[in-house]
Amino acid sequence: MDGTLRHRQIEAGGSSVHVVEAGVPGAPPVVFLHGFPTSWSSYERMLRLAAPTAHAIAIDLPGIGGSTGDPTDGTKKAIAERLHEVFQVLGLKDVTLVGGDVGGMVTYAYLRHVTGLARAVILHVVVPGVFPWEVAVRDPSMWHFHFNAKPDLPEILVRGRERPFLDHWYDVLSGDGTRITEQSRQSHVAAYRAEGALCAGFSWYRAMEQDTRDNEAVTAPIDVPLLYLHGTKPAGHSLEPHVKGFEAAGVRHVTGAWVPDSGHLAQEENPEAYWSLIADFAGLPGTDRKGS
């Protein structure tokens, strides 16, 4: 199966959700969720890598880029519930849900508040209400969590200046900013220049206190297997606090692994290695290391 991408809109709960697919419908579904400040196109190369063995799907989160209408209240529980509606419309069963950054928070919320996943993958993010969340949000390097959560101010300062603001994060978050291509940067910036998109993105941060309450309020064990991944750049991080945090939150089957030669945006920095880890976890044949 080639890596031809198919775009469509799915109506769900007041949202028109932009969905991009590759591979064969009916093959094992793998769904990719982006975070801030990226869009579905962050996973374009991974869609092509996954196409030969999976029904690969990337989604613009509600309110971002091609996803219009009701962006939800920004809570990860509400976004997960909206995605569940999308999965039902698409007829997806036994989904492997993959999320990085805010998409990783949504993936955990799906595990915690919705049912039906076969397995989950979370990349390089702390999750509200799950250790080491309370440590991370006190780290001065996480200042943007607090800035982005301010009412109205981020929109006032960033609107019309999206490119330099988002460029800063592509360079800071990645292990090697040159791997975030000009085409990719332009695509993401365009997604956040869409009407209401900045507000939708910042709402994810404004909702994190509620996310913490939502995640801490439900303590039932989670039996869905979870793979926690982290880029190797910058050096000095440890997977153990994250794995133990998920275990303490009730995830019974969690493993951790490194995505080599990448930072926070592994899907763009080293998609071949990232997909190989996912394919192995999901029991799918591996990827052609030549990529797309």
Side-chain angles (χ1 to χ4, degrees), residues 115-291:
T115 60
L117 291 184
R119 59 197 65 82
V121 181
I122 294 175
L123 172 73
H124 208 129
V125 71
V126 289
V127 173
V130 178
F131 187 86
W133 170 258
E134 59 268 34
V135 177
V137 293
R138 294 197 298 268
D139 187 329
S141 69
M142 303 286 278
W143 65 268
H144 58 291
F145 273 48
H146 307 283
F147 172 79
N148 291 355
K150 296 294 184 185
D152 303 321
L153 182 62
E155 288 92 333
I156 292 170
L157 296 178
V158 174
R159 188 172 289 116
R161 305 175 182 86
E162 293 91 349
R163 179 60 192 260
F165 182 76
L166 300 189
D167 269 344
H168 169 81
W169 293 114
Y170 304 141
D171 294 333
V172 167
L173 295 176
S174 58
D176 180 357
T178 65
R179 296 184 184 178
I180 315 303
T181 66
E182 176 62 21
Q183 179 181 353
S184 183
R185 290 168 187 252
Q186 289 183 11
S187 177
H188 300 328
V189 169
Y192 285 86
R193 283 178 174 160
E195 184 177 358
L198 271 181
C199 185
F202 291 135
S203 77
W204 303 334
Y205 294 85
R206 293 166 185 153
M208 285 180 185
E209 288 188 6
Q210 183 61 48
D211 294 333
T212 299
R213 291 190 289 269
D214 288 342
N215 289 339
E216 291 178 341
V218 183
T219 58
I222 295 173
D223 289 319
V224 176
L226 170 64
L227 174 63
Y228 181 79
L229 299 176
H230 201 292
T232 54
K233 300 179 180 180
H237 290 280
S238 172
L239 293 174
E240 184 177 9
H242 300 276
V243 171
K244 289 189 175 297
F246 286 118
E247 289 175 339
V251 183
R252 287 175 163 167
H253 309 288
V254 55
T255 55
W258 297 101
V259 184
D261 194 24
S262 71
H264 191 71
L265 299 173
Q267 65 269 28
E268 300 197 61
E269 298 177 71
N270 195 349
E272 294 84 4
Y274 190 6
W275 172 244
S276 291
L277 287 162
I278 295 167
D280 182 65
F281 177 63
L284 299 171
T287 181
D288 177 356
R289 298 290 297 180
K290 294 180 182 178

